[in-house]
Amino acid sequence: MRSLFASLPALFSAGFARTLRDREARLTHMALHDQETGLGNRLSLERQASGPGALYIALVCVDRFEVVRNAIGYDSMARLLATLGQRLSALSGGAAVARVGGGTLGLVFGSDSDESAVTLAARLCEAAHAPVSLNGALVDIALTAGVAAVADVNRNVPSAVDRASIAVDQARATRRRAAAFDAERYGDPAGNLSLISEMMAAMRNGELSLAYQPKYDFRAEGITGIEALMRWTHADRGCVSPDLFIGMAEETGHIRPLTEWAIRRAIADQKTLAAAGHELTLSVNISGRLLSDESFADFALAEVAASGAALCFEITETAVVDYPELALRIIERFAGAGISVSLDDYGSGLSSLTYLKQIRADELKIDKSFILGLDQSSRDALLVKSTIDLAHSLGLRVTAEGVETPTALALLRGMGCDMAQGYLIGRPVALAELVGQLAGEKSGEDAHDERARQA
Ligand code: G
Ligand code: G
Ligand code: MN
């Protein structure tokens, strides 16, 4: 209020028009610049990008920005970014560099392909990342860049600045200095979002089911267990891949209701199987993320206690390593309640021998990526054999998954593997089909016994 009244006399002065012009210029400057660094801002970058020709936006990000900023302070960070901006501008032949966000600088340049744009951006990062001198101290920083073509024929994608920003994440995820926006890798987040709410509905309206895949026991020479694998038959989309919806459920915090549904379903199905004369251990996949959720463990233990079910929990080994202490305690609780614990996909992730020693597990499942090549690769064979020996020395039973050929099966038997699972033994099938197969196998065995008796 005060400044408004203070400026009133100007309305009547001769310099009024000039004051207005100055003010307008100042406002325009403010609208297009970052106050802290004096560099351009996002709006100025977008304006440049509306120019003619085949243009690209490059965003250059300071790695571990928050950590560096907290270490050197906000003021020093602003000066560091200003210096970086000058360097990038000089290196790119005078391009106007803008500050787009916290530790992100952007510039526009001409390029005729993603490849050459990435090469240029990577070169900028390499050249600009030399230490910056602040108050006599040298601050070392690393940079990652993302580029995106300003003109994108696909109308259904985010703005060029956003695409370049996503490209930065994509570069980091794949440990590259620079990357171009990859639409395929980005996928369809809006579609995925609706998929999540549909997934919750699918659970209630019967679109979810469990398929069962048999586990063959070498010593017993028969099927002694089955693994439950979730299936979703969507009314419009058809079969939705579990890799997609399980991964999404994990990332959005929806894996718990899905897993609780699977445990209840599996326990009910185990009773159906028992009634048909098949006593089988039933394996349920448990996302490692649930091993940081004590109340999920409460739920699982209560269900098992109430039903007397014989369950095995297959836990993804990569995730176990993420939450070591709590995970180990929850696994102890499972084991204490008579649930057998299996470490799934062993060898595919951050296999940690240290944790392997600490986890109270009963079974180790060797990832199918090692088993699929077993009959061709002597290196895989060596790895599998040594993993089996190691697991045995730790008192673990070993299951090999992805057994597709009789040769692989024979090799595994020779290596002392305990159990095998894979298309050779049986594909994942619906409960009714499994019951049919098991009945067929039983009558086959009976016939075999009958022939043996007659011989
Ligand atoms: O079943 P395949 O048939 O395509 O399964 C793909 C992936 O999904 C596997 O890694 C498997 O462990 C996982 N998966 C299948 N069903 C479940 C489930 O009920 N819970 C969890 N957490 N993962 C599952
Ligand atoms: O990750 P997890 O082990 O829980 O999942 C098992 C996955 O492996 C499922 O997607 C299942 O369909 C798949 N699978 C099972 N047996 C075989 C096999 O013999 N070959 C191949 N390629 N995949 C298999
Ligand atoms: Mn599994």
Side-chain angles (χ1 to χ4, degrees):
M1 283 314 256
R2 213 155 162 251
S3 65
L4 178 67
F5 281 112
S7 65
L8 269 181
L11 282 172
F12 308 101
S13 80
F16 172 58
R18 204 184 55 231
T19 312
L20 202 64
R21 257 201 319 276
D22 287 354
R23 227 177 244 202
E24 220 161 64
R26 229 176 30 240
L27 284 176
T28 312
H29 188 272
M30 270 168 67
L32 291 174
H33 287 80
D34 171 57
Q35 299 309 300
E36 282 185 327
T37 59
L39 297 167
N41 63 11
R42 179 176 176 138
L43 188 60
S44 76
L45 189 72
E46 283 167 347
R47 280 206 177 173
Q48 292 177 55
S50 62
L55 295 180
Y56 273 78
I57 282 184
L59 293 187
V60 175
C61 288
V62 176
D63 290 346
R64 303 167 67 238
F65 169 71
E66 271 91 8
V67 178
V68 179
R69 186 193 57 199
N70 293 343
I72 67 175
Y74 281 66
D75 288 347
S76 298
M77 183 45 106
R79 274 186 288 144
L80 188 151
L81 289 170
T83 307
L84 255 183
Q86 286 155 13
R87 277 189 195 165
L88 289 172
S89 180
L91 288 165
S92 59
V97 174
R99 183 187 189 190
V100 176
T104 305
L105 303 181
L107 52 110
V108 171
F109 60 95
S111 180
D112 50 13
S113 72
D114 281 8
E115 289 71 34
S116 53
V118 168
T119 306
L120 187 88
R123 223 177 273 150
L124 278 182
C125 288
E126 291 296 336
H129 100 289
V132 178
S133 170
L134 292 167
N135 302 335
L138 288 180
V139 180
D140 204 6
I141 44 149
L143 304 168
T144 303
V147 302
V150 170
D152 197 307
V153 281
N154 189 350
R155 286 283 70 205
N156 239 348
V157 296
S159 76
V161 176
D162 288 340
R163 273 182 279 129
S165 171
I166 295 160
V168 173
D169 294 338
Q170 293 177 333
R172 285 186 174 143
T174 49
R175 295 173 189 286
R176 284 175 291 170
R177 194 46 58 230
F181 173 71
D182 181 341
E184 203 168 312
R185 181 184 277 271
Y186 181 57
D188 176 16
N192 290 347
L193 206 60
S194 80
L195 204 61
I196 293 164
S197 57
E198 289 175 43
M199 185 163 65
M200 293 299 106
M203 212 165 55
R204 292 185 293 272
N205 63 27
E207 285 180 10
L208 285 190
S209 63
L210 291 180
Y212 291 101
Q213 187 176 33
K215 291 168 92 165
Y216 175 84
D217 185 319
F218 281 110
R219 192 160 308 142
E221 294 185 9
I223 307 302
T224 55
I226 49 175
E227 176 180 4
L229 293 159
M230 212 177 277
R231 294 292 178 259
W232 178 8
T233 315
H234 189 286
D236 310 318
R237 302 182 199 230
C239 286
V240 185
S241 158
D243 283 326
L244 175 67
F245 75 85
I246 298 279
M248 237 161 47
E250 286 182 327
E251 268 149 40
T252 56
H254 291 86
I255 192 65
R256 181 166 165 188
L258 279 188
T259 308
E260 293 186 348
W261 174 88
I263 289 174
R264 287 212 171 102
R265 180 78 259 154
I267 288 176
D269 288 348
Q270 193 174 40
K271 286 194 179 133
T272 306
L273 286 165
H278 308 294
E279 300 284 346
L280 298 167
T281 300
L282 211 153
S283 295
V284 178
N285 286 287
I286 305 291
S287 161
R289 301 212 177 198
L290 288 172
L291 297 183
S292 58
D293 184 348
E294 198 101 41
S295 70
F296 165 75
D298 295 338
F299 165 88
L301 295 194
E303 290 291 315
V304 169
S307 62
L311 293 189
C312 168
F313 282 174
E314 293 192 7
I315 294 160
T316 308
E317 163 263 346
T318 45
V320 171
V321 185
D322 282 345
Y323 315 99
E325 258 92 50
L326 185 54
L328 288 177
R329 195 165 74 238
I330 289 179
I331 287 175
E332 291 279 331
R333 290 186 64 196
F334 291 154
I339 298 170
S340 99
V341 171
S342 171
L343 303 175
D344 209 353
D345 303 329
Y346 185 77
S348 68
L350 304 163
S351 317
S352 163
L353 291 176
T354 327
Y355 283 112
L356 200 55
K357 219 170 64 182
Q358 290 176 41
I359 294 174
R360 236 181 89 181
D362 305 275
E363 177 185 75
L364 188 110
K365 282 186 89 170
I366 303 179
D367 191 64
K368 57 178 171 287
S369 58
F370 296 96
I371 309 299
L372 291 171
L374 197 58
D375 22 6
Q376 281 106 43
S377 155
S378 58
R379 190 168 165 270
D380 280 356
L382 200 66
L383 275 171
V384 171
K385 171 71 174 127
S386 54
T387 304
I388 292 173
D389 292 344
L390 173 78
H392 282 167
S393 73
L394 292 169
L396 298 166
R397 154 183 98 232
V398 181
T399 295
E401 60 173 35
V403 179
E404 293 187 350
T405 64
T407 316
L409 190 71
L411 281 170
L412 288 163
R413 189 196 302 275
M415 292 175 184
C417 189
D418 304 285
M419 302 185 82
Q421 190 181 2
Y423 295 164
L424 178 74
I425 294 135
R427 288 177 177 266
V429 291
L431 181 70
E433 199 173 327
L434 178 82
V435 172
Q437 284 178 9
L438 290 171
E441 188 176 282
K442 255 215 163 108
S443 60
E445 270 167 27
D446 293 346
H448 179 270
D449 292 348
E450 188 61 24
R451 276 197 303 277
R453 244 198 323 277
Q454 285 171 356

